[in-house]
Amino acid sequence: MAKPRRLAVGAFLIPALLVSAAACGGDETDASPGATTPSASKDPASSAPSLAEPEKGGEAEAMAAYRAHWQEVEKAYAKNSIEGTDIKKTSVGPARLAIEKSVKSARENGQAVKGSPGLSNLTVTKADLNRDVPKVHLSSCLDVSEWVIYNKSTGEPVPQPSDRLTKYTVTSLLEKWPDGWVVTKDEPHQDTQC
């Protein structure tokens, strides 16, 4: 009977695997609320850096890259595969590994995800842009209430614990590599409502 229990716990596939993989490394991030930003499924170009604020350019680029990354995460879960997405371009290390494992686990358990996550309160909590590899720490609020895990064979939603948070804080680390900003750490804090 382990498999049904695993499926119920699988309701936390996305954030739970992000937590376990994110714990493998990276710097600590500070969680602090900020201005609301569009959901992950909206156009990230709306946050392009302003030429009037060159010191904010790197931070704005990192935020735009993070939004674009979440668009690819949404695609991967909808397809049950990272193939045909830009996950390998938008993330590396623990962040990518968590997505790959979670998508694979959902597929192997006969589950899929539909709907869209919401991403708001995207805030830079720390930036170190004067390094060989610039870093930006972000905090955001992830809303998974419209992101439904369902059983592919029955089409029914996978039961969720009644006390689970559907809006919680996520702290992230992005680094600027030669091809652009990549997510290296994405850590959900499922016990921190936002």
Side-chain angles (χ1 to χ4, degrees), residues 35 70 82 92 117 119 151 165 173:
W70 268 96
I82 66 163
V92 296
L119 187 64
N151 183 308
L165 290 180
L173 174 63

Side-chain angles (χ1 to χ4, degrees), residues 3-14 76-81 102-114 148-160:
K3 193 149 182 141
R5 178 166 168 72
R6 186 173 173 199
L7 291 175
V9 174
F12 290 103
L13 282 173
I14 299 151
Y77 283 106
K79 296 173 65 156
N80 255 6
S81 173
S102 184
V103 168
K104 180 181 178 184
S105 178
R107 187 175 55 246
E108 289 175 351
N109 285 304
Q111 298 173 343
V113 181
K114 57 184 169 185
V148 181
I149 299 172
Y150 67 97
N151 183 308
K152 286 184 73 173
S153 62
T154 66
E156 295 294 318
V158 173
Q160 304 292 316

